[in-house]
Each structure stands twice: as structure tokens, then as C-alpha cells.
Coordinates of all heavy atoms in Angstrom, one line a residue:
M1 N 68.4 -20.8 149.1 CA 69.0 -19.4 149.1 C 68.3 -18.6 148.0 O 68.2 -19.0 146.8 CB 70.4 -19.6 148.8 CG 71.1 -18.3 148.8 SD 73.0 -18.6 148.6 CE 73.5 -17.1 148.0
Q2 N 67.9 -17.4 148.3 CA 67.2 -16.5 147.3 C 68.2 -15.7 146.7 O 69.2 -15.1 147.3 CB 66.2 -15.7 148.0 CG 65.4 -14.8 147.2 CD 64.3 -14.0 147.8 OE1 64.2 -14.1 149.0 NE2 63.6 -13.2 147.1
T3 N 68.1 -15.5 145.4 CA 69.0 -14.8 144.6 C 68.1 -13.5 144.1 O 67.0 -13.7 143.6 CB 69.4 -15.5 143.3 OG1 70.2 -16.6 143.8 CG2 70.4 -14.7 142.5
T4 N 68.8 -12.4 144.3 CA 68.2 -11.1 143.8 C 69.0 -10.6 142.6 O 70.2 -10.6 142.7 CB 68.0 -10.1 144.8 OG1 67.3 -10.7 146.0 CG2 67.3 -8.8 144.3
R5 N 68.3 -10.1 141.6 CA 69.1 -9.6 140.4 C 68.9 -8.2 140.2 O 67.9 -7.7 140.5 CB 68.7 -10.4 139.1 CG 69.0 -11.9 139.1 CD 68.3 -12.6 137.9 NE 68.6 -14.0 138.0 CZ 69.3 -14.7 137.1 NH1 69.8 -14.0 136.1 NH2 69.5 -16.0 137.4
F6 N 70.0 -7.5 139.8 CA 70.0 -6.1 139.6 C 70.5 -5.8 138.2 O 71.6 -6.5 137.8 CB 70.7 -5.3 140.6 CG 70.3 -5.5 142.0 CD1 70.7 -6.4 142.9 CD2 69.3 -4.6 142.4 CE1 70.2 -6.6 144.1 CE2 68.8 -4.7 143.7 CZ 69.3 -5.6 144.6
V7 N 70.0 -5.0 137.4 CA 70.6 -4.5 136.2 C 71.5 -3.3 136.5 O 71.0 -2.3 137.1 CB 69.5 -4.1 135.2 CG1 70.1 -3.5 133.9 CG2 68.6 -5.2 134.9
V8 N 72.8 -3.5 136.2 CA 73.7 -2.4 136.7 C 74.4 -1.6 135.4 O 74.8 -0.5 135.6 CB 74.9 -3.0 137.5 CG1 74.4 -3.4 138.8 CG2 75.6 -4.0 136.8
A9 N 74.4 -2.2 134.2 CA 75.0 -1.7 133.1 C 74.7 -2.6 131.9 O 74.6 -3.8 132.1 CB 76.4 -1.4 133.2
P10 N 74.9 -2.1 130.7 CA 74.8 -3.0 129.5 C 76.0 -3.9 129.5 O 77.1 -3.6 130.0 CB 74.8 -2.1 128.3 CG 75.0 -0.6 128.8 CD 75.0 -0.7 130.3
I11 N 75.8 -5.1 129.0 CA 76.9 -6.1 128.9 C 78.1 -5.6 128.1 O 79.2 -6.0 128.4 CB 76.3 -7.5 128.3 CG1 77.3 -8.6 128.6 CG2 76.0 -7.3 126.9 CD1 77.5 -9.0 129.9
S12 N 77.9 -4.6 127.2 CA 79.0 -4.1 126.5 C 79.9 -3.3 127.3 O 81.0 -3.0 127.0 CB 78.4 -3.2 125.3 OG 77.6 -2.2 125.9
D13 N 79.5 -3.0 128.6 CA 80.4 -2.3 129.5 C 81.4 -3.2 130.2 O 82.2 -2.7 131.0 CB 79.5 -1.5 130.6 CG 78.9 -0.3 130.2 OD1 79.0 0.0 128.9 OD2 78.3 0.4 131.0
F14 N 81.3 -4.5 130.0 CA 82.1 -5.5 130.6 C 82.8 -6.4 129.6 O 82.5 -7.6 129.6 CB 81.2 -6.3 131.6 CG 80.4 -5.5 132.6 CD1 79.2 -5.2 132.4 CD2 81.1 -5.1 133.8 CE1 78.5 -4.5 133.3 CE2 80.4 -4.4 134.6 CZ 79.1 -4.0 134.5
P15 N 83.7 -5.9 128.8 CA 84.4 -6.8 127.9 C 85.3 -7.7 128.7 O 85.6 -7.5 129.8 CB 85.3 -5.8 127.1 CG 85.1 -4.5 127.6 CD 84.1 -4.4 128.7
S16 N 85.6 -8.8 128.1 CA 86.4 -9.8 128.7 C 87.6 -9.3 129.3 O 88.4 -8.5 128.7 CB 86.7 -11.0 127.8 OG 87.4 -12.0 128.5
G17 N 88.1 -9.7 130.6 CA 89.3 -9.2 131.2 C 89.1 -7.9 131.9 O 90.1 -7.3 132.4
T18 N 87.9 -7.3 131.9 CA 87.8 -6.0 132.6 C 87.0 -6.1 133.9 O 86.4 -7.2 134.2 CB 87.1 -5.0 131.7 OG1 85.7 -5.5 131.5 CG2 87.8 -4.8 130.4
R19 N 87.1 -5.0 134.7 CA 86.2 -4.9 135.8 C 85.6 -3.6 135.9 O 86.1 -2.7 135.3 CB 87.1 -5.1 137.1 CG 88.0 -4.0 137.4 CD 88.8 -4.1 138.6 NE 89.9 -4.9 138.3 CZ 90.9 -5.2 139.2 NH1 90.8 -4.8 140.4 NH2 91.9 -5.9 138.9
K20 N 84.5 -3.5 136.7 CA 83.9 -2.2 136.9 C 83.2 -2.3 138.3 O 82.7 -3.3 138.7 CB 82.8 -2.1 135.9 CG 82.1 -0.8 135.9 CD 81.1 -0.7 134.7 CE 80.4 0.7 134.7 NZ 80.4 1.2 133.3
I21 N 83.3 -1.2 139.0 CA 82.7 -1.1 140.3 C 81.5 -0.3 140.2 O 81.4 0.8 139.6 CB 83.7 -0.5 141.4 CG1 84.9 -1.3 141.5 CG2 82.9 -0.3 142.7 CD1 85.9 -0.7 142.3
V22 N 80.3 -0.9 140.6 CA 79.0 -0.3 140.5 C 78.5 -0.2 141.9 O 78.9 -0.8 142.8 CB 78.1 -1.2 139.5 CG1 78.7 -1.2 138.2 CG2 77.9 -2.5 140.2
T23 N 77.4 0.6 142.0 CA 76.7 0.8 143.2 C 75.3 0.2 143.2 O 74.6 0.6 142.3 CB 76.7 2.3 143.7 OG1 78.0 2.8 143.8 CG2 76.0 2.5 145.0
V24 N 75.1 -0.6 144.1 CA 73.7 -1.3 144.2 C 73.1 -1.1 145.6 O 73.8 -1.6 146.6 CB 73.7 -2.8 143.8 CG1 72.4 -3.4 144.0 CG2 74.3 -2.9 142.4
N25 N 72.1 -0.4 145.7 CA 71.5 -0.1 147.1 C 72.4 0.3 148.1 O 72.5 0.0 149.2 CB 70.8 -1.5 147.6 CG 69.5 -1.8 146.9 OD1 69.0 -1.0 146.1 ND2 69.0 -3.1 147.1
G26 N 73.3 1.3 147.6 CA 74.2 1.9 148.5 C 75.5 1.1 148.7 O 76.5 1.5 149.5
H27 N 75.6 -0.1 148.1 CA 76.8 -0.9 148.3 C 77.7 -1.0 147.0 O 77.1 -1.1 145.9 CB 76.4 -2.4 148.7 CG 75.7 -2.5 150.0 ND1 76.2 -2.3 151.2 CD2 74.3 -2.6 150.1 CE1 75.4 -2.4 152.1 NE2 74.1 -2.6 151.5
E28 N 78.9 -0.8 147.2 CA 79.9 -0.9 146.1 C 80.1 -2.4 145.7 O 80.4 -3.2 146.6 CB 81.2 -0.3 146.2 CG 81.1 1.2 146.2 CD 82.4 1.9 146.3 OE1 83.5 1.2 146.6 OE2 82.5 3.1 146.1
I29 N 79.8 -2.8 144.4 CA 80.0 -4.1 144.0 C 81.0 -4.1 142.8 O 80.9 -3.3 141.9 CB 78.7 -4.7 143.5 CG1 77.6 -4.5 144.5 CG2 78.9 -6.2 143.1 CD1 77.7 -5.4 145.7
G30 N 82.0 -5.0 142.9 CA 83.0 -5.2 141.7 C 82.4 -6.3 140.8 O 82.1 -7.3 141.3
V31 N 82.2 -5.9 139.6 CA 81.8 -6.8 138.6 C 83.0 -7.1 137.6 O 83.6 -6.2 137.0 CB 80.6 -6.3 137.7 CG1 80.2 -7.3 136.7 CG2 79.5 -6.0 138.7
F32 N 83.4 -8.4 137.5 CA 84.6 -8.9 136.8 C 84.1 -9.8 135.7 O 83.4 -10.7 135.9 CB 85.5 -9.6 137.7 CG 86.2 -8.8 138.8 CD1 85.4 -8.4 139.9 CD2 87.4 -8.4 138.7 CE1 86.0 -7.8 140.9 CE2 88.1 -7.7 139.7 CZ 87.3 -7.3 140.8
N33 N 84.7 -9.6 134.5 CA 84.5 -10.5 133.3 C 85.8 -11.4 133.2 O 86.8 -10.9 132.8 CB 84.2 -9.8 132.1 CG 83.9 -10.7 130.9 OD1 84.4 -11.8 130.9 ND2 83.1 -10.2 130.0
V34 N 85.7 -12.5 133.7 CA 86.8 -13.4 133.7 C 86.6 -14.5 132.5 O 85.8 -15.3 132.7 CB 87.1 -14.2 135.0 CG1 88.3 -15.1 134.9 CG2 87.2 -13.1 136.1
E35 N 87.3 -14.2 131.5 CA 87.2 -15.2 130.3 C 85.7 -15.4 129.9 O 85.3 -16.6 129.6 CB 87.9 -16.5 130.6 CG 89.4 -16.2 130.8 CD 90.1 -17.6 131.2 OE1 89.5 -18.6 131.2 OE2 91.3 -17.4 131.4
G36 N 84.9 -14.3 129.8 CA 83.5 -14.4 129.5 C 82.5 -14.7 130.5 O 81.3 -14.6 130.2
T37 N 82.9 -15.0 131.7 CA 82.0 -15.2 132.7 C 82.0 -14.0 133.7 O 83.1 -13.6 134.1 CB 82.3 -16.5 133.6 OG1 82.3 -17.6 132.6 CG2 81.3 -16.8 134.7
L38 N 80.9 -13.5 134.1 CA 80.7 -12.4 134.9 C 80.6 -12.8 136.4 O 79.9 -13.8 136.7 CB 79.5 -11.6 134.6 CG 79.5 -10.8 133.2 CD1 78.2 -10.2 133.0 CD2 80.7 -9.8 133.2
Y39 N 81.4 -12.2 137.3 CA 81.4 -12.5 138.7 C 81.3 -11.2 139.4 O 81.7 -10.1 139.0 CB 82.7 -13.0 139.1 CG 83.1 -14.4 138.6 CD1 83.8 -14.5 137.4 CD2 82.6 -15.6 139.1 CE1 84.0 -15.7 136.8 CE2 82.9 -16.8 138.6 CZ 83.6 -16.8 137.4 OH 83.8 -18.0 136.8
A40 N 80.5 -11.2 140.5 CA 80.3 -9.9 141.3 C 80.6 -10.1 142.8 O 80.1 -11.2 143.3 CB 78.8 -9.4 141.1
I41 N 81.3 -9.3 143.3 CA 81.6 -9.4 144.8 C 81.5 -8.0 145.4 O 81.8 -7.0 144.8 CB 83.0 -10.1 145.0 CG1 84.1 -9.3 144.5 CG2 83.0 -11.5 144.5 CD1 85.5 -9.7 144.9
F42 N 81.3 -8.0 146.8 CA 81.3 -6.8 147.5 C 82.7 -6.1 147.4 O 83.7 -6.8 147.5 CB 81.0 -7.0 149.0 CG 79.5 -7.1 149.2 CD1 79.0 -8.3 149.7 CD2 78.7 -6.0 149.0 CE1 77.7 -8.4 150.0 CE2 77.3 -6.1 149.3 CZ 76.8 -7.3 149.8
N43 N 82.7 -4.8 147.3 CA 84.1 -4.1 147.2 C 84.4 -3.8 148.7 O 84.6 -2.6 149.1 CB 83.9 -2.8 146.4 CG 85.2 -2.1 146.3 OD1 86.3 -2.7 146.3 ND2 85.2 -0.7 146.0
Y44 N 84.6 -4.9 149.4 CA 84.9 -4.8 150.8 C 85.7 -6.0 151.3 O 85.4 -7.2 151.1 CB 83.5 -4.8 151.6 CG 83.6 -4.7 153.1 CD1 83.7 -3.6 153.7 CD2 83.7 -5.9 153.8 CE1 83.8 -3.6 155.1 CE2 83.8 -5.9 155.2 CZ 83.8 -4.7 155.8 OH 83.9 -4.7 157.2
C45 N 86.9 -5.6 151.9 CA 87.8 -6.8 152.3 C 87.4 -7.1 153.7 O 87.3 -6.2 154.6 CB 89.2 -6.3 152.2 SG 90.3 -7.5 152.9
P46 N 87.2 -8.3 154.2 CA 86.9 -8.7 155.4 C 88.0 -8.5 156.5 O 87.7 -8.6 157.7 CB 86.4 -10.2 155.4 CG 87.1 -10.7 154.1 CD 87.2 -9.5 153.2
H47 N 89.2 -8.3 155.9 CA 90.3 -8.1 156.9 C 90.2 -6.8 157.6 O 90.0 -6.6 158.8 CB 91.6 -8.2 156.2 CG 92.8 -7.9 157.1 ND1 93.8 -7.1 156.6 CD2 93.2 -8.4 158.2 CE1 94.7 -6.9 157.7 NE2 94.3 -7.8 158.6
R48 N 90.3 -5.6 156.9 CA 90.2 -4.3 157.5 C 89.4 -3.3 156.6 O 89.7 -2.1 156.6 CB 91.5 -3.7 157.7 CG 92.4 -4.5 158.7 CD 92.4 -3.8 160.1 NE 93.1 -4.6 161.1 CZ 94.1 -4.0 161.8 NH1 94.5 -2.8 161.6 NH2 94.5 -4.8 162.7
A49 N 88.5 -3.8 155.9 CA 87.5 -3.1 155.1 C 88.1 -2.3 153.9 O 87.6 -1.3 153.5 CB 86.7 -2.1 156.0
G50 N 89.2 -2.8 153.4 CA 89.8 -2.2 152.2 C 89.0 -2.3 151.0 O 88.0 -3.2 150.9
P51 N 89.3 -1.6 150.0 CA 88.6 -1.6 148.7 C 89.0 -2.8 147.8 O 89.7 -2.7 146.9 CB 88.9 -0.3 148.0 CG 90.3 0.0 148.6 CD 90.4 -0.6 149.9
L52 N 88.6 -4.0 148.2 CA 88.9 -5.2 147.6 C 89.0 -5.3 146.1 O 90.0 -5.7 145.5 CB 88.1 -6.4 148.1 CG 88.4 -7.8 147.6 CD1 89.8 -8.2 148.0 CD2 87.4 -8.8 148.1
C53 N 88.0 -4.7 145.4 CA 87.9 -4.8 144.1 C 88.9 -3.9 143.3 O 89.0 -4.0 142.1 CB 86.5 -4.5 143.6 SG 85.3 -5.7 144.2
A54 N 89.6 -3.1 144.0 CA 90.6 -2.2 143.3 C 92.0 -2.9 143.3 O 92.9 -2.4 142.8 CB 90.8 -0.9 144.1
G55 N 92.1 -4.1 143.9 CA 93.3 -5.0 144.0 C 93.7 -5.5 142.7 O 93.0 -5.6 141.7
R56 N 95.0 -6.0 142.7 CA 95.5 -6.6 141.4 C 94.9 -8.1 141.3 O 94.6 -8.7 142.3 CB 97.0 -6.8 141.5 CG 97.6 -5.5 141.6 CD 99.2 -5.6 141.6 NE 99.6 -6.3 142.8 CZ 100.7 -7.1 142.9 NH1 101.6 -7.0 141.9 NH2 101.0 -7.8 144.0
T57 N 94.8 -8.5 140.1 CA 94.5 -10.0 139.9 C 95.8 -10.7 139.7 O 96.6 -10.3 138.9 CB 93.4 -10.2 138.8 OG1 93.9 -9.5 137.6 CG2 92.1 -9.5 139.2
R58 N 95.9 -11.9 140.3 CA 97.2 -12.6 140.2 C 96.8 -14.0 140.0 O 95.7 -14.5 140.0 CB 97.9 -12.5 141.6 CG 98.2 -11.1 142.0 CD 99.1 -10.3 141.2 NE 100.4 -10.9 141.4 CZ 101.4 -10.8 140.6 NH1 101.3 -10.1 139.5 NH2 102.5 -11.5 140.8
P59 N 97.8 -14.9 139.7 CA 97.6 -16.3 139.5 C 97.5 -17.0 140.9 O 97.8 -16.5 141.9 CB 98.8 -16.8 138.7 CG 99.9 -15.9 139.2 CD 99.3 -14.6 139.5
L60 N 96.9 -18.2 140.9 CA 96.9 -19.0 142.0 C 98.3 -19.7 142.1 O 98.7 -20.3 141.1 CB 95.7 -20.1 141.9 CG 95.6 -21.2 143.0 CD1 95.3 -20.4 144.3 CD2 94.7 -22.2 142.6
V61 N 98.8 -19.6 143.3 CA 100.2 -20.3 143.5 C 100.0 -21.6 144.2 O 99.3 -21.7 145.2 CB 101.0 -19.4 144.3 CG1 102.4 -20.0 144.6 CG2 101.3 -18.0 143.7
I62 N 100.5 -22.6 143.5 CA 100.4 -24.0 144.1 C 101.7 -24.5 144.5 O 102.7 -24.4 143.6 CB 99.7 -24.9 143.0 CG1 98.4 -24.4 142.6 CG2 99.7 -26.4 143.5 CD1 97.9 -25.0 141.3
S63 N 101.8 -25.2 145.6 CA 103.1 -25.7 146.0 C 103.0 -27.2 146.3 O 102.1 -27.5 147.2 CB 103.6 -24.9 147.2 OG 104.9 -25.5 147.7
S64 N 103.7 -28.0 145.8 CA 103.7 -29.4 146.1 C 104.8 -29.8 147.1 O 104.9 -30.9 147.5 CB 103.8 -30.3 144.8 OG 105.0 -29.9 144.2
G65 N 105.5 -28.8 147.5 CA 106.7 -29.1 148.5 C 107.6 -27.9 148.7 O 107.3 -26.8 148.0
V66 N 108.5 -28.0 149.5 CA 109.5 -26.9 149.8 C 110.2 -26.5 148.4 O 110.7 -27.3 147.7 CB 110.5 -27.3 150.8 CG1 111.5 -26.2 151.1 CG2 109.8 -27.7 152.1
Y67 N 110.2 -25.2 148.2 CA 110.8 -24.7 147.0 C 110.1 -25.0 145.7 O 110.7 -24.9 144.6 CB 112.3 -24.9 147.0 CG 113.0 -24.5 148.1 CD1 113.8 -25.4 148.9 CD2 113.1 -23.1 148.5 CE1 114.4 -25.0 150.1 CE2 113.8 -22.7 149.7 CZ 114.5 -23.6 150.4 OH 115.2 -23.2 151.5
Q68 N 108.9 -25.6 145.8 CA 108.2 -26.0 144.6 C 107.1 -25.0 144.4 O 106.3 -24.7 145.4 CB 107.6 -27.4 144.8 CG 108.6 -28.5 145.1 CD 109.4 -29.0 144.0 OE1 108.8 -29.0 142.9 NE2 110.6 -29.3 144.2
R69 N 106.9 -24.5 143.3 CA 105.7 -23.7 143.1 C 105.3 -23.7 141.6 O 106.2 -23.8 140.7 CB 105.9 -22.2 143.5 CG 106.7 -21.4 142.7 CD 106.8 -19.9 143.2 NE 107.8 -19.3 142.5 CZ 108.8 -18.6 143.0 NH1 108.9 -18.5 144.3 NH2 109.7 -18.0 142.3
E70 N 104.0 -23.7 141.4 CA 103.5 -23.5 140.1 C 102.4 -22.5 140.1 O 101.8 -22.2 141.1 CB 102.8 -24.9 139.6 CG 103.9 -26.0 139.5 CD 103.2 -27.3 139.2 OE1 102.2 -27.3 138.5 OE2 103.8 -28.3 139.5
Y71 N 102.0 -22.0 138.9 CA 101.0 -21.0 138.8 C 99.8 -21.5 138.0 O 100.0 -22.2 137.0 CB 101.5 -19.7 138.2 CG 102.7 -19.1 139.0 CD1 104.0 -19.3 138.6 CD2 102.4 -18.4 140.1 CE1 105.0 -18.8 139.4 CE2 103.4 -17.8 140.9 CZ 104.7 -18.1 140.6 OH 105.8 -17.5 141.3
A72 N 98.6 -21.2 138.4 CA 97.4 -21.6 137.7 C 96.5 -20.5 137.8 O 96.6 -19.6 138.6 CB 96.8 -22.9 138.4
R73 N 95.4 -20.6 136.9 CA 94.3 -19.6 136.9 C 94.9 -18.2 136.9 O 94.4 -17.3 137.7 CB 93.5 -19.8 138.2 CG 92.8 -21.2 138.2 CD 92.0 -21.4 139.4 NE 91.0 -20.5 139.6 CZ 90.3 -20.4 140.7 NH1 90.5 -21.1 141.7 NH2 89.3 -19.4 140.9
E74 N 95.8 -17.9 135.9 CA 96.4 -16.6 135.8 C 95.3 -15.5 135.7 O 94.4 -15.5 135.0 CB 97.2 -16.6 134.5 CG 97.8 -15.3 134.2 CD 98.9 -15.0 135.3 OE1 99.8 -15.9 135.5 OE2 98.9 -13.9 135.8
G75 N 95.5 -14.5 136.6 CA 94.6 -13.4 136.6 C 93.3 -13.5 137.3 O 92.4 -12.7 137.2
Q76 N 93.1 -14.6 137.9 CA 91.8 -15.0 138.5 C 91.7 -14.8 139.9 O 90.7 -15.0 140.5 CB 91.3 -16.4 138.0 CG 91.1 -16.5 136.6 CD 90.6 -17.8 136.2 OE1 90.2 -18.7 137.0 NE2 90.7 -18.2 135.0
I77 N 92.8 -14.5 140.6 CA 92.9 -14.4 142.1 C 93.0 -12.9 142.4 O 94.0 -12.3 142.0 CB 94.0 -15.3 142.7 CG1 93.9 -16.7 142.3 CG2 93.9 -15.1 144.2 CD1 92.6 -17.4 142.6
L78 N 92.0 -12.4 143.2 CA 92.0 -11.0 143.5 C 92.7 -10.8 144.8 O 92.3 -11.5 145.8 CB 90.5 -10.6 143.5 CG 90.2 -9.1 143.9 CD1 90.9 -8.1 142.9 CD2 88.7 -8.9 144.0
K79 N 93.6 -9.8 144.8 CA 94.3 -9.5 146.1 C 93.9 -8.1 146.6 O 93.9 -7.1 145.7 CB 95.8 -9.6 145.8 CG 96.5 -10.9 145.5 CD 97.9 -10.9 145.2 CE 98.6 -10.7 146.7 NZ 100.0 -10.9 146.4
C80 N 93.6 -8.0 147.8 CA 93.3 -6.7 148.3 C 94.5 -5.7 148.2 O 95.6 -6.2 148.5 CB 92.9 -6.9 149.8 SG 92.4 -5.3 150.6
P81 N 94.2 -4.5 147.8 CA 95.4 -3.6 147.7 C 95.9 -3.1 149.0 O 97.1 -2.6 149.0 CB 94.7 -2.4 146.9 CG 93.3 -2.4 147.2 CD 92.9 -3.9 147.4
W82 N 95.2 -3.3 150.0 CA 95.7 -2.7 151.4 C 96.8 -3.6 152.0 O 97.9 -3.2 152.3 CB 94.6 -2.5 152.3 CG 93.9 -1.2 152.0 CD1 93.9 -0.5 151.0 CD2 92.9 -0.6 152.9 NE1 93.1 0.6 151.0 CE2 92.5 0.5 152.2 CE3 92.4 -0.9 154.1 CZ2 91.5 1.4 152.7 CZ3 91.4 -0.1 154.7 CH2 91.0 1.1 154.1
H83 N 96.5 -4.8 152.1 CA 97.5 -5.7 152.8 C 97.8 -7.1 152.0 O 98.3 -8.0 152.6 CB 97.1 -6.1 154.3 CG 96.7 -4.8 155.0 ND1 95.4 -4.5 155.2 CD2 97.4 -3.9 155.6 CE1 95.2 -3.4 156.0 NE2 96.5 -3.0 156.2
Q84 N 97.3 -7.1 150.9 CA 97.5 -8.2 149.9 C 96.9 -9.5 150.3 O 97.2 -10.6 150.2 CB 99.0 -8.5 149.7 CG 99.8 -7.3 149.3 CD 99.3 -6.7 148.1 OE1 99.1 -7.3 147.1 NE2 99.0 -5.3 148.1
Ligands
FES1 S1 92.0 -4.6 154.3 FE1 92.2 -6.0 152.9 S2 94.0 -7.2 153.4 FE2 93.8 -5.8 154.9

């Protein structure tokens, strides 16, 4: 798999816990700094083309059984703002 790199902004524009939507070759890309690691994804939801990167970040919900739930990876799961 070939990787292509683009310079979109200085690293100082991405403090930990923030996001920024940039445009690369006409495509909107959401860049997220999650605890010091940068992630980039298309600002496009595969469900109905919603602006995925404008959504809330939530924890991962884990269930080991009925009425059981725990939360992990707080703020690391991105939810599309249109239909969650
Ligand atoms: S468009 Fe994203 S959940 Fe429907």
C-alpha cells in the first residue's frame, strides 16, 4: 500500500485533544490529535455522506451482558452528527 503525505498546517495548530478540518486536493480531511497522536480521516460518513468530522467524540461502550456496560477510550470514538 502506497502512502502519500501532505503538509496541511504547522504541528502547533493541532494541540492535544483538538481537531481541525483541512482541505487536501479538494477533499475535506479531519485531523485529530488524540493524546499526542495525529489521525486523519475523510470528513465523509459512508451512511448518508454527513460531515463525519464535525461529530462528537464519545467513549467506547463495552457490554459483557444484559444491563452491563463499561466505558473505555474516552473521547476516542467519533460519532457522525447526522444520525449518530
Ligand atoms: S450520514 Fe452519518 S450517520 Fe447518517
Side-chain angles (χ1 to χ4, degrees):
M1 181 175 159
Q2 182 178 2
T3 300
T4 304
R5 295 173 183 244
F6 296 92
V7 175
V8 296
I11 192 70
S12 58
D13 283 4
F14 303 97
S16 185
T18 63
R19 75 178 78 181
K20 182 176 185 136
I21 297 175
V22 300
T23 302
V24 175
N25 286 347
H27 299 283
E28 288 188 349
I29 309 290
V31 181
F32 295 76
N33 184 333
V34 180
E35 298 177 0
T37 301
L38 293 174
Y39 298 92
I41 61 172
F42 280 114
N43 186 23
Y44 176 88
C45 178
H47 177 231
R48 294 262 173 124
L52 179 60
C53 297
R56 298 181 302 156
T57 54
R58 307 292 293 159
L60 176 67
V61 180
I62 302 168
S63 177
S64 57
V66 178
Y67 304 118
Q68 307 279 323
R69 75 175 170 232
E70 296 177 26
Y71 300 99
R73 300 173 58 189
E74 180 65 48
Q76 295 183 13
I77 306 301
L78 181 61
K79 294 179 77 173
C80 179
W82 280 12
H83 311 104
Q84 308 305 309

